[in-house]
Amino acid sequence: MRKALIGLTVALATLAGAAHAQDKKVTIGVSIPAADHGWTAGVVFHAQRVAKALMARHPGLNVIVKTSPDAATQANALEDLATQGIGALVILPSDPDPLVNAIKRVKGKGVFVTLVDRAPSNNDNSVRDLYVAGNNPALGATAGEYIKSRTPEAMVAVIRGLPIPIDQQRQDGFDKAVAGSNVKVLAKQFGNWNRDDAFKVMQDYLTKFPKIDVVWCQDDDMAVGVLQAIAQAKRTDIQYVIAGAGSKEMVKKVLDGDKLIPVDVLYPPAMVGTALELTVANLYGQVPVRGSYILDATLITKENAKEFYFPDSPF
Amino acid sequence: MADTLARDTTARRFPIDVDLRAVAPFVALALLLAVGAFANPNVISLDNLLNVATRSAFIAIIAVGATFVIAAGGLDLSVGSMMAFVASLMIMFMNSGVIADPLMMLVAAMLLSLAIGTVCGLANGWITTIGGIEPFIVTLGTMGIFRGLTTWLSQGGAITLRSPEIQNLYHPAYFGAVLGVPVPIIVIFAVALIGAFVLYRTRFGRHVVAVGSNEEVARYSGISVNRVRTVTYVIQGLCVAIAVLLYVPRLGSTSATSGTLWELQAITAVVIGGTALRGGVGRIWGTVCGAFILEIVGNIMLLSNFVSEYLIGAIQGAIIIIAMLVQRSLMRKS
């Protein structure tokens, strides 16, 4: 009898809880670029990971993750999502400016819009309610500060990404951080955020400069090529390489205490998860989240690396 | 027969003509090296030249295959994506661990990648010939297919060789050297030597050139045009697979962006080497030289101190055009 009573109470409580949770049925549309390189692959992974966790937490919540290879396809995907009746949209635009009108159309229907990472020229509340992004100037600045404090007299070889605004912001942040110090930049070259190109550029740097103290290569993918070129040349003058993003390969090296990769600078693809969490907080927690949420370009060290390590991620 | 006879008389009338055309890319290379040495003496240091030659291996080997395809009047735009696709499958096979012994596993993976390359080439060849579709369109399509499959296999990220034993075993294939000559350079020479023998000394090679210079005439002479064309794509696929065998040990991983735009580099190497883009002429050694020119141009730019990082692309383009003009003027003189 007692057992039955307890069982009944538990069942009732569960039902009540479920009923309460199901009170609010919301669908969130997530529109992100298709995985075409390491970082976007990470975005897709984390969008799906966090969507699953959120749906488990809120039974009434439905998250639809849609990937698109380019801006035009993404505009279509937005329309498809809108017709399915979404309460909120989380979007990481492949190319923000051409997508502004499509996003505004969705917002005009009273949908809560969260914009992630890439901002259009007029990034105000007419386009989105919430803006979540990493900090590109800080990515460069964090690397610059680290080099300045650990090796004040370092001669640094720089490998940039592609000649686009994000790359310029990172470079400016770096230049500002090392300005006026004794850190000397030997050369800057584009490695196109590509392993093979970074390998070649590093090989040529090693031929050109008899002594390099530090390599700043801005991105974890390129660090793979850089490390291989250094290993091949058997050069021992390079004290360390500093990259960025937070790929599992490089975070693992930091965790393992690799001498050449002592730290990494975070520009996390997991920020799409931050955006999703905040959006859900707005819908279910009734907390104000409107505005801009800029993530730090955290320095990943041996001590905190575990927090940023995702062994199952493709990136 | 008539074809051979005509060429013999040409050769006799302008003996110097043939020589100069074959020599032109090497003259362009020599000029480049001279300019490079002036910009930075390190350019002509042995270490630097070996580095550059070693990393030109991928494009050079792929371009040897492209020489066959282009000489037969075809075109293959899929080689860059195909390289990434074959390399991804090769690494995934080695990661699967179906064979316990690392050496046996490596040998099996190498054979597998050669087989996959051959099949990919065969697919390009059959769709072109049996399907009767322009090679430009066919290989544009397969370029998308191979790239898409690679991105899907890697989930957009990277596919990395996991076993450290295989990695150690495989490492010398790119970084090793025999008597001071890096392995990739030896492979370039071996592939070019076989390629040159097949193109210049066998009946099949003559058929390739005949099909490329005039398809109708070749058909009336009893050459199976479709079979010759298909085989050129198979050779191309095989060359891509050989390039993969050298590519995988370098970084031990592939990503969705591996080999992007390699098709254009391969075609550029072939054209710089003196092969006509419309077919009918094939120059294997010129192609190898062309691939080397492409790499050394980038190398010289980086080692010299006076070029802004923003201008490198423009200057590379200009140097390629100048190399072609040098070649053209040498031909005219004859």
Side-chain angles (χ1 to χ4, degrees), chain A residues 88-103:
Chain A
L89 170 72
V90 174
I91 176 167
L92 199 162
S94 50
D95 195 357
D97 275 323
L99 281 165
V100 162
N101 285 331
I103 298 172

Side-chain angles (χ1 to χ4, degrees), chain A residues 160 195-196 200 203-204, chain B residues 55 247 253 295 299 309:
Chain A
R160 306 178 57 166
R195 297 153 179 243
D196 294 314
K200 287 186 192 177
Q203 252 190 356
D204 288 347
Chain B
R55 69 196 194 205
Y247 180 82
S253 84
E295 285 294 339
N299 177 256
E309 76 239 47

Side-chain angles (χ1 to χ4, degrees), chain A residues 220-221 224 244-252 264 269 300 308-309 315:
Chain A
D220 289 349
D221 249 357
V224 177
S247 77
K248 63 173 176 187
E249 224 171 312
M250 289 305 142
V251 176
K252 182 82 180 17
D264 196 31
I300 303 176
F308 308 108
Y309 184 52
F315 179 63

Side-chain angles (χ1 to χ4, degrees), chain A residues 153-169:
Chain A
E153 309 279 326
M155 290 195 276
V156 187
V158 175
I159 303 181
R160 306 178 57 166
L162 284 167
I164 59 170
I166 295 173
D167 175 81
Q168 192 61 49
Q169 288 174 4

Side-chain angles (χ1 to χ4, degrees), chain A residues 34-42 44 48 160 163 167-168 171 186-190 192-197 199-210 221 224-226 228-229 231-234 248-249 314-315, chain B residues 40 42-43 45 47-48 51-52 54-55 58-59 83 151 154-160 171 174-175 247 249-260 262 265 295 298-305 307-310 312:
Chain A
D36 56 2
H37 66 277
W39 196 81
T40 43
V44 176
Q48 280 158 352
R160 306 178 57 166
D167 175 81
Q168 192 61 49
Q171 187 63 48
L186 292 167
K188 295 174 205 163
Q189 283 305 331
F190 290 104
N192 308 324
W193 284 312
N194 176 304
R195 297 153 179 243
D196 294 314
D197 292 353
F199 176 84
K200 287 186 192 177
V201 171
M202 194 60 213
Q203 252 190 356
D204 288 347
Y205 275 166
L206 291 167
T207 306
K208 188 173 180 182
F209 304 111
D221 249 357
V224 177
V226 169
Q228 197 61 262
Q232 182 210 14
K234 300 196 176 68
K248 63 173 176 187
E249 224 171 312
F315 179 63
Chain B
N40 184 339
N42 275 342
V43 167
S45 70
D47 277 347
N48 187 55
N51 263 348
V52 176
T54 305
R55 69 196 194 205
F58 313 130
I59 297 297
M83 193 292 300
T151 313
S154 64
Q155 293 294 295
I159 300 176
T160 305
H171 197 252
Y174 184 84
F175 293 101
Y247 180 82
R250 185 165 90 174
L251 298 178
S253 84
T254 58
S255 72
T257 54
S258 296
T260 32
W262 282 19
Q265 289 191 43
E295 285 294 339
N299 177 256
I300 292 172
M301 289 296 97
L302 224 154
L303 291 186
S304 69
N305 285 316
V307 185
S308 153
E309 76 239 47
Y310 298 104
I312 285 188

Side-chain angles (χ1 to χ4, degrees), chain B residues 7-21 334:
Chain B
R7 197 169 305 154
D8 279 347
T9 38
T10 327
R12 228 169 282 140
R13 223 178 293 153
F14 311 107
I16 201 155
D17 175 56
V18 177
D19 275 342
L20 267 186
R21 278 194 203 189
S334 52

Side-chain angles (χ1 to χ4, degrees), chain A residues 68-204:
Chain A
S68 315
D70 53 62
T73 326
Q74 198 168 14
N76 294 340
L78 285 187
E79 279 171 16
D80 294 348
L81 284 170
T83 50
Q84 288 178 48
I86 49 172
L89 170 72
V90 174
I91 176 167
L92 199 162
S94 50
D95 195 357
D97 275 323
L99 281 165
V100 162
N101 285 331
I103 298 172
K104 276 185 171 169
R105 262 201 301 281
V106 177
K107 192 168 185 299
K109 290 177 186 160
V111 173
F112 184 91
V113 174
T114 303
L115 189 64
V116 188
D117 188 38
R118 298 173 197 176
S121 325
N122 61 328
N123 179 21
D124 54 25
N125 58 12
S126 70
V127 183
R128 51 48 179 184
D129 297 280
L130 170 66
Y131 176 56
V132 176
N135 194 335
N136 281 306
L139 182 133
T142 305
E145 294 291 345
Y146 180 81
I147 294 172
K148 205 166 64 179
S149 67
R150 183 173 155 182
T151 43
E153 309 279 326
M155 290 195 276
V156 187
V158 175
I159 303 181
R160 306 178 57 166
L162 284 167
I164 59 170
I166 295 173
D167 175 81
Q168 192 61 49
Q169 288 174 4
R170 294 177 174 184
Q171 187 63 48
D172 290 347
F174 180 86
D175 290 343
K176 220 182 261 174
V178 299
S181 73
N182 288 331
V183 172
K184 191 179 160 230
V185 173
L186 292 167
K188 295 174 205 163
Q189 283 305 331
F190 290 104
N192 308 324
W193 284 312
N194 176 304
R195 297 153 179 243
D196 294 314
D197 292 353
F199 176 84
K200 287 186 192 177
V201 171
M202 194 60 213
Q203 252 190 356
D204 288 347

